[in-house]
Amino acid sequence: MKRMRRKCKTLLLALFLLIAGVIIGEVNVSAAEKEITIDSISVKQDSFNGLWQLKFADANYTDAITKISVNDTDWEAYSFTPSMGGKYRIRDGAVEFAQKSYSQTAALKNGDVISITATGYKTLAFKVAIADGKLTISQDTKPGDNMKLYVRLVGSFESALVNQKGYDAISGASTNVTQNKNSDASVEVALVNADQEPTKDDWKLLSESDIRIKSKESSVIIVNHDDASKENDSGMAGVYSVHDGSLTLAGTPANAGTYDISVSITDEDGHTATSNSLPFRVFSGEETLKDQLVLSNCTKTADGKYMYDMEPWAIKNFTDASGDQRVTVPADVKAWYGSHTSGTYGELGYAVSEGTAQKQTLILPKGCNLTLVNMDILSSVKIIVGDGAKLTLRDSVIQGVVEVQNGGTFSMNYNDYGEGEFLNGASINGQLILQDGATLENAKIYSNTNNIANGSSARHNTEPVVVVNGNVSLKGKVFVRGDEAPTGTDAATGKSYTGQRGLKVNGTLTLEKDAVLAVFGGGKDATTSNGGTAVELNGGTITGEGKLICVGGDGHFGEGGNAVSGTGMISVANAYLEGGASVSKSSTPGKALGDNVKLAGTTNRNLIDGENVNDIDYDNDTYWRDILTVPNLSLYPVDANAPGETTEPEKPGETTEPEKPGETTEPEKPGETTEPEKPGETTEPEKPSSGGTDTNTGKDKQNKTKTTVKTQVKSKKNASVKTGDSSKPILWAVLMVVAIAGITRSLMLRKKN
């Protein structure tokens, strides 16, 4: 009985344990089946620390996490801020991942599947999508995305010459780095749904996109255009910059030919794409301008005209050896580019010795309105601007000669669109020659002839930057400045060279109404001992209804330059003429007007001779120093003070004898005589007449007064020859005394009566 009772107890205990085990098991099963839905997960971005933060609605969930894997690879739990892939951190109820990786281990990327194991919870799996700086999640658990990668090259590669050094070269020093960049190509990418084509807004520079490239699986491809099976024999290699997304070329061009350049990239998501190709051409250097400058090598524009991108970038031969070295520009070519990068020049011609005549001629025919951009025209070249043609220079250098013939027009450093504006970058180191019938309009002309070598030789050039032959018209505003003096002694004078002259007039230069011509002789720097003359008249005339400004160059150890020298006539509406200063007390400053230059009586004038100064007052200087801006025309005031002409015009065939010193040109009335002025007597300066064309205040007013005194207190010779003024103050004084005596006698007789 006891045995039976013991068996029953054992069975009851076993049954109890079985029931308890079932109950406990049911509780545990219930706990394991607790589920986290993706709708209860919020994603935040910690931009400061560069983190993605996944926050869960169940506050207990993150404490139960035991493992996190990405694409079936376990990631490491980390105590610090994760800055790379392969790690995660749990903090404040959130799981944190690095947005970007600073190591070889990739951070979270678009299409990754995250799996999270937590005690008491079902395994959580979801896919991330990263686009436009945002992370989103979905229930999809298949790694990868439904996206397609596109890549393209935009821009161009400048052509090169065989054995050209430093095509895209970087040179560095301790304080600066410079780059000679002839490539203008960039890598752009787009990542879109596989069933879509990229739109304009989808394309971004690779360097500015979220796409991370596998460097070892990406490359720049260079193949021979004519035979793609050939090895790359160009001598060049592609270099991609992660900083600005540019693609440049390094190396020395080895073989002439055309090469196709493209890129192939693979990103960290496994997307692969290959770009379009851009051409890169290597020339032999023996090409001729006659063969290259044809419309088939130009780009037609919407207006029916053409643009010529010069290839190769350097052409030394105009024609073959049997040709006459004359090439005519097609009349429909409106723009000629040496390059599309300011400061990078195409070169035409070659250097010839200073003083050697140009051996190559480029002709602009009738109807050709050509703008040269980023070109260096070397000293072997003469450009002829023919009848009905126009040449404009922008960012270009003339080392040889530009000759503007009858009916031709020249302009430089000027944009005539809209209201018009002056530009910078073009210079004339050779010479501009304006022949009879030519027109010069809106130009900022300056020379660097003695500062920039002619080939490998330094120049010793004091010849004028601009020469006028015959009758030439000037329109708008024109500014001319000669270069500093060359180094050494001038064999012709036995003195240090002068600064370069600005303008020489052999004929007649006519300033149209409201036109301004401002000319400055070389002499702004201490390297110039003797200042250069601004304008030299070689029996020439400057006339018209415009304003003439001439300022001689400063002599820093010697003489100042004259404003106007030579022999000739100035008969413009207004003339501001200022001689250059001499910093040396023992030297002679420049004159406003040379001894043999006549100034018409109809010309309003402000004549200022140069001075001996210890230092140049740069703050109040009238010299044009900064070529990046045009001269400030308010610095050159002229009052309406023309004295008027006093000499009758000569009749055809008549000649007049030169005046003797002290004589005046006004004919005396019959019977009248004038007593010679007593030594030491001077005439009162006339006050400037009102209604002047220029206004000024303060210091400028003082300058005006000083100028007027200087103009009037000249010797009789200067007064008659230069101004036409022949006032006779003694004669008028005698007449006044006689008149007063007559009136007094009449009063006395009336009183007596």
Side-chain angles (χ1 to χ4, degrees):
M1 188 69 178
K2 288 183 179 179
R3 185 179 298 174
M4 180 65 74
R5 190 176 296 153
R6 189 177 298 147
K7 287 182 179 179
C8 290
K9 289 181 178 178
T10 300
L11 288 172
L12 288 173
L13 179 61
L15 181 62
F16 174 78
L17 291 174
L18 178 61
I19 294 172
V22 169
I23 293 173
I24 293 172
E26 287 180 352
V27 172
N28 288 336
V29 168
S30 299
E33 290 179 351
K34 190 171 184 181
E35 186 176 5
I36 299 294
T37 64
I38 62 171
D39 295 335
S40 67
I41 305 172
S42 62
V43 180
K44 293 184 178 180
Q45 183 177 356
D46 180 355
S47 299
F48 181 78
N49 293 301
L51 299 172
W52 299 119
Q53 295 176 322
L54 276 63
K55 194 87 171 177
F56 299 88
D58 185 339
N60 300 317
Y61 181 68
T62 54
D63 293 334
I65 292 175
T66 59
K67 183 176 72 171
I68 295 179
S69 63
V70 177
N71 299 331
D72 295 328
T73 299
D74 292 348
W75 282 27
E76 176 188 352
Y78 200 57
S79 301
F80 302 99
T81 302
S83 60
M84 64 186 72
K87 298 178 184 295
Y88 67 90
R89 178 174 70 173
I90 296 176
R91 183 174 69 114
D92 298 334
V95 177
E96 298 178 331
F97 299 93
Q99 288 180 302
K100 294 183 179 181
S101 180
Y102 299 94
S103 72
Q104 295 296 322
T105 306
L108 279 182
K109 59 185 183 297
N110 188 45
D112 280 348
V113 173
I114 298 176
S115 178
I116 302 177
T117 301
T119 301
Y121 294 84
K122 282 187 176 183
T123 299
L124 173 64
F126 54 88
K127 180 188 284 189
V128 300
I130 301 175
D132 299 324
K134 295 181 180 180
L135 184 145
T136 57
I137 61 176
S138 68
Q139 291 179 335
D140 188 7
T141 57
K142 181 180 179 181
D145 55 25
N146 188 35
M147 307 294 283
K148 185 174 180 180
L149 177 66
Y150 291 85
V151 60
R152 70 182 182 184
L153 287 180
V154 295
S156 62
F157 298 99
E158 301 285 352
S159 61
L161 296 173
V162 170
N163 294 325
Q164 177 181 333
K165 305 296 182 184
Y167 176 82
D168 274 334
I170 298 177
S171 60
S174 59
T175 57
N176 62 4
V177 174
T178 59
Q179 182 170 5
N180 176 34
K181 189 175 180 181
N182 292 299
S183 301
D184 185 29
S186 298
V187 181
E188 294 186 352
V189 291
L191 186 65
V192 297
N193 288 326
D195 57 351
Q196 296 178 351
E197 291 290 327
T199 65
K200 179 182 177 181
D201 295 335
D202 293 324
W203 290 103
K204 296 179 181 179
L205 279 172
L206 176 57
S207 58
E208 297 176 359
S209 73
D210 293 326
I211 297 171
R212 294 184 289 274
I213 299 301
K214 291 183 178 180
S215 299
K216 293 182 179 180
E217 298 179 32
S218 303
S219 62
V220 178
I221 305 166
I222 302 178
V223 299
N224 191 297
H225 179 77
D226 298 321
D227 187 355
S229 64
K230 268 187 175 182
E231 268 188 50
N232 174 24
D233 61 350
S234 68
M236 308 297 283
V239 179
Y240 171 70
S241 170
V242 296
H243 301 292
D244 61 6
S246 65
L247 180 64
T248 58
L249 299 175
T252 301
N255 294 288
T258 300
Y259 299 88
D260 295 327
I261 299 178
S262 60
V263 296
S264 176
I265 63 173
T266 299
D267 68 7
E268 292 180 349
D269 296 335
H271 305 114
T272 298
T274 300
S275 75
N276 59 306
S277 63
L278 294 178
F280 168 60
R281 190 166 182 186
V282 179
F283 289 90
S284 68
E286 297 302 322
E287 293 77 14
T288 67
L289 181 63
K290 182 178 180 180
D291 292 336
Q292 297 301 118
L293 183 56
V294 292
L295 292 182
S296 59
N297 287 337
C298 299
T299 302
K300 193 171 185 178
T301 57
D303 58 2
K305 300 295 184 180
Y306 291 83
M307 293 192 303
Y308 174 53
D309 288 300
M310 190 174 85
E311 287 192 333
W313 64 269
I315 300 178
K316 64 182 179 181
N317 301 317
F318 271 42
T319 61
D320 57 30
S322 63
D324 63 357
Q325 300 300 307
R326 295 167 64 89
V327 173
T328 299
V329 179
D332 287 335
V333 174
K334 68 176 183 179
W336 178 333
Y337 287 88
S339 82
H340 288 270
T341 304
S342 181
T344 301
Y345 296 106
E347 291 183 1
L348 182 64
Y350 54 91
V352 296
S353 301
E354 186 175 1
T356 301
Q358 287 70 40
K359 300 179 180 181
Q360 298 171 315
T361 305
L362 183 67
I363 301 169
L364 275 62
K366 187 171 185 176
C368 183
N369 187 346
L370 178 67
T371 299
L372 286 176
V373 185
N374 294 325
M375 282 297 299
D376 190 359
I377 309 297
L378 302 183
S379 54
S380 66
V381 180
K382 173 189 281 188
I383 300 178
I384 292 180
V385 184
D387 183 10
K390 180 179 179 180
L391 174 64
T392 301
L393 298 183
R394 291 189 190 172
D395 259 342
S396 295
V397 182
I398 299 297
Q399 310 286 4
V401 168
V402 173
E403 180 179 312
V404 186
Q405 296 182 342
N406 181 26
T409 302
F410 179 84
S411 176
M412 66 182 282
N413 284 322
Y414 188 76
N415 179 4
D416 59 1
Y417 292 105
E419 298 180 357
E421 61 176 337
F422 282 96
L423 308 173
N424 304 300
S427 62
I428 295 181
N429 299 338
Q431 195 168 66
L432 171 64
I433 300 175
L434 302 166
Q435 302 289 15
D436 187 64
T439 298
L440 175 61
E441 68 176 1
N442 291 321
K444 188 167 72 168
I445 305 172
Y446 46 84
S447 170
N448 297 306
T449 185
N450 297 314
N451 283 290
I452 296 179
N454 175 33
S456 59
S457 302
R459 293 184 182 92
H460 296 83
N461 185 12
T462 61
E463 291 299 309
V465 186
V466 182
V467 175
V468 170
N469 296 325
N471 296 313
V472 173
S473 298
L474 187 144
K475 299 178 180 180
K477 294 180 175 63
V478 175
F479 309 96
V480 182
R481 191 184 79 184
D483 194 19
E484 301 305 296
T487 302
T489 301
D490 189 341
T493 63
K495 301 178 181 179
S496 296
Y497 283 105
T498 67
Q500 187 184 18
R501 289 167 286 172
L503 170 68
K504 183 176 182 179
V505 181
N506 298 315
T508 299
L509 178 60
T510 301
L511 312 187
E512 295 197 353
K513 184 175 178 58
D514 298 324
V516 175
L517 170 62
V519 188
F520 302 78
K524 70 178 179 64
D525 293 336
T527 55
T528 295
S529 294
N530 298 304
T533 293
V535 172
E536 177 188 359
L537 298 179
N538 184 26
T541 298
I542 302 179
T543 187
E545 300 181 64
K547 181 175 183 177
L548 175 66
I549 299 169
C550 301
V551 179
D554 293 328
H556 293 265
F557 300 96
E559 300 175 352
N562 289 343
V564 184
S565 64
T567 301
M569 168 70 78
I570 292 177
S571 60
V572 294
N574 300 285
Y576 178 99
L577 311 178
E578 181 179 356
S582 174
V583 181
S584 172
K585 289 291 186 181
S586 61
S587 297
T588 306
K591 295 181 178 181
L593 211 59
D595 293 337
N596 296 315
V597 178
K598 294 183 180 181
L599 185 61
T602 55
T603 297
N604 301 315
R605 75 286 310 275
N606 191 350
L607 309 180
I608 305 173
D609 286 338
E611 299 179 348
N612 289 105
V613 296
N614 291 324
D615 294 295
I616 304 296
D617 183 5
Y618 294 109
D619 292 333
N620 299 288
D621 195 13
T622 53
Y623 193 89
W624 179 28
R625 298 185 180 277
D626 182 12
I627 59 174
L628 298 180
T629 61
V630 297
N632 181 359
L633 296 180
S634 67
L635 298 176
Y636 311 98
V638 178
D639 287 331
N641 59 4
E645 298 287 8
T646 58
T647 58
E648 295 183 4
E650 297 176 5
K651 297 178 181 179
E654 291 186 348
T655 59
T656 57
E657 293 184 3
E659 299 168 359
K660 297 179 182 179
E663 292 185 349
T664 59
T665 57
E666 183 175 325
E668 297 178 358
K669 297 179 181 179
E672 289 186 350
T673 60
T674 58
E675 294 183 5
E677 295 177 5
K678 296 180 181 180
E681 291 186 349
T682 60
T683 59
E684 281 286 326
E686 295 180 5
K687 297 180 180 179
S689 57
S690 61
T693 58
D694 290 304
T695 60
N696 57 354
T697 58
K699 185 172 182 178
D700 286 339
K701 284 188 177 180
Q702 296 177 4
N703 290 338
K704 282 186 181 180
T705 305
K706 176 181 177 184
T707 299
T708 306
V709 172
K710 290 181 69 173
T711 302
Q712 303 299 334
V713 187
K714 288 184 178 289
S715 68
K716 289 186 177 179
K717 174 182 176 182
N718 286 341
S720 61
V721 174
K722 298 198 172 122
T723 68
D725 186 6
S726 59
S727 62
K728 302 188 184 308
I730 296 178
L731 174 61
W732 287 109
V734 171
L735 292 176
M736 184 63 72
V737 170
V738 172
I740 293 173
I743 294 171
T744 304
R745 180 174 176 78
S746 298
L747 292 173
M748 292 178 66
L749 289 174
R750 182 179 296 178
K751 184 177 181 180
K752 184 180 292 187
N753 293 335

